[in-house]
Amino acid sequence: MRAAVLHGVGKIQLEERPRPEPGPREVLVRVASVGTCGSDVHYYEHGRIGDFVVDSPLVLGHEPSGTVVVTGPGVSRHRVGQRVSVEPGVPDFTCRQCRAGRYNLCPRMRFFGTPPIDGAFCEYVVTHEEFAYPVPDTLSDDAAALIEPLSVGVWACRKARVEPGTRVLVTGAGPVGLLCMQTALAFGATDVLITDVNPVRLGVARDLGASETLDVRETPLSDAGFEPDVLLECSGHPAAIGEAVRAVGRAGRVVLIGMGGDEIPLPLSHVQTRELEVTGTFRYAGTWPAAIALAAAGRVQLDALVTGHYGLADVEQALTAGARDPKLVKAVVRPQE
C-alpha cells in the first residue's frame, strides 16, 4: 500500500509499505477520507508536541473513515463491506483508568499519528473491532471521518454539562470550535456566542447556527455584555483564555480544549470569587455513538466544514493549506486518490 510518511520537520515522502494484516478481533479498513488536524500540522512543522517527539519515520492522520475489507479471527461486530468511522485510539483495556471508564487517559493508549504509532495517511489501517463504528449511508465518507473532531465537541459539552437553557461562549472558530458550537446547540444551549479574529470563519459560524458571533479584533469580549454559564475554550491562545474566563458567570464551568502554550495566566480571584469549575479535556471516551447519531440526524453539519480535498501524494499541500488560504476550514485527504 501507499503511505505518506513524515521523515522530519517539513519532510513527507510517499512510500510503498506492506499492507497490514488484522490480528484477533481486528479489522482491516480501506481508508476513504482522513481529516487533517492542527496536531498533524504541528508535528509536520515542529516534529513534536510536548513530550511526544517524532524520532523515527511516522505516518500522521487520526481522523479516518473507510470500509472493512478483511476481518481477523474472532471478529463478531463487523462484516466485509461495512462502512465505518474509526476511533483512532485503542487503550490497553486493563489499567485503572480503563476500568473506571476513562480510557482516554490510559497511559498505554495507542493513538494514530502520535509517536510511535502510525496513523491514517495511507491506504489501509488496522484497528480493534470495538473502535470501528458502522455509519449509515446517509453520511458521506468525509462526514464519517469528521466524527473524530465532533467527538471532541461531544466530550467537551458533556464535561461542561451543557443542557437546555445553558448560555455558552466558544472561543476560537476553527474546526473544533465550530463543532463545539454546533454540539452545544444540539445539546439544547439557548445562546451560543463564538469569537474569532477570522471573519470568514465567523461567517461559517453564522451559517451553522451561531446565536452571535464576535470579531475580537474589533470588539473586546469584555464589551460584548455576554455572561455565559459555560466557556468552551478552543483557541489555545493565552490572552484569549484569560479574557474569556473573566466573562464567565457565577458557578460557571470552564472547559479548556485548545492546545496552546504549556502554561497560561489564570485570573484566580475571578475563579475563586465566582466558584468557577475549570477543567481540561483530553480527546474523548464513549462519544462515537452519540456523535454519529447527531450527524445522521442533521443536528450537526460536517460536510459544510470541508473546504479542500487532497490525494495521498499531496499530504504536504493539505497540511500547509491553512498557511496559504485564510478561507480554509478543514482539509481532507483521500488516500485512494
Side-chain angles (χ1 to χ4, degrees):
M1 71 171 185
R2 296 180 305 154
V5 184
L6 180 67
H7 281 268
V9 173
K11 297 178 182 178
I12 288 183
Q13 298 177 10
L14 191 62
E15 298 179 0
E16 288 286 337
R17 288 189 168 189
R19 193 182 82 170
E21 296 297 329
R25 297 202 65 194
E26 291 182 336
V27 293
L28 178 69
V29 176
R30 184 177 186 265
V31 181
S33 292
V34 190
T36 59
C37 175
S39 63
D40 298 318
V41 176
H42 202 84
Y43 280 125
Y44 173 77
E45 292 180 343
H46 303 284
R48 67 182 301 155
I49 296 177
D51 294 333
F52 297 103
V53 180
V54 180
D55 54 12
S56 61
L58 180 72
V59 178
L60 296 171
H62 61 268
E63 301 179 4
S65 69
T67 302
V68 174
V69 292
V70 179
T71 58
V75 168
S76 60
R77 296 174 59 88
H78 298 288
R79 55 174 174 78
V80 171
Q82 175 69 62
R83 294 178 62 243
V84 294
S85 174
V86 177
E87 182 172 356
V90 178
D92 66 9
F93 299 103
T94 61
C95 72
R96 179 181 179 185
Q97 300 300 329
C98 286
R99 292 197 302 270
R102 299 184 293 264
Y103 66 82
N104 58 312
L105 301 180
C106 174
R108 288 179 288 277
M109 173 72 75
R110 296 175 58 83
F111 197 88
F112 280 14
T114 300
I117 309 301
D118 282 331
F121 288 152
C122 55
E123 293 182 303
Y124 296 89
V125 295
V126 162
T127 191
H128 193 285
E129 67 168 335
E130 294 286 348
F131 293 87
Y133 296 83
V135 295
D137 290 337
T138 53
L139 286 188
S140 69
D141 290 333
D142 290 353
L146 299 191
I147 294 298
E148 196 277 344
L150 175 54
S151 281
V152 174
V154 171
W155 186 244
C157 285
R158 286 178 175 174
K159 294 277 281 188
R161 305 192 300 282
V162 175
E163 60 185 11
T166 305
R167 289 165 55 86
V168 178
L169 169 62
V170 180
T171 46
V176 168
L178 292 168
L179 289 169
C180 283
M181 178 202 81
Q182 292 190 74
T183 305
L185 290 166
F187 276 33
T190 49
D191 296 290
V192 181
L193 169 65
I194 186 167
T195 69
D196 206 281
V197 297
N198 184 323
V200 173
R201 291 189 171 186
L202 291 174
V204 174
R206 287 190 292 272
D207 291 342
L208 293 174
S211 308
E212 299 178 64
T213 62
L214 183 68
D215 188 333
V216 290
R217 293 178 308 172
E218 299 178 354
T219 305
L221 180 58
S222 57
D223 291 347
F226 188 78
E227 186 177 79
D229 307 303
V230 163
L231 165 61
L232 302 177
E233 206 303 304
C234 302
S235 75
H237 193 282
I241 295 171
E243 185 177 24
V245 170
R246 290 185 182 91
V248 179
R250 289 171 173 78
R253 282 92 66 195
V254 174
V255 181
L256 303 176
I257 305 158
M259 298 184 71
D262 289 338
E263 296 183 3
I264 60 169
L266 187 69
L268 188 58
S269 176
H270 186 88
V271 170
Q272 290 180 319
T273 59
R274 295 200 173 196
E275 289 199 349
L276 304 187
E277 298 177 32
V278 181
T279 185
T281 58
F282 188 58
R283 298 170 181 159
Y284 30 66
T287 53
W288 250 251
I292 290 171
L294 287 174
R299 302 291 299 278
V300 173
Q301 302 299 316
L302 296 174
D303 289 305
L305 300 183
V306 179
T307 50
H309 289 104
Y310 299 83
L312 195 59
D314 301 317
V315 166
E316 283 192 271
Q317 295 298 309
L319 295 177
T320 57
R324 299 189 308 272
D325 183 4
K327 296 182 180 180
L328 180 87
V329 178
K330 192 73 171 181
V332 169
V333 173
R334 291 179 169 172
Q336 306 303 325
E337 297 179 3

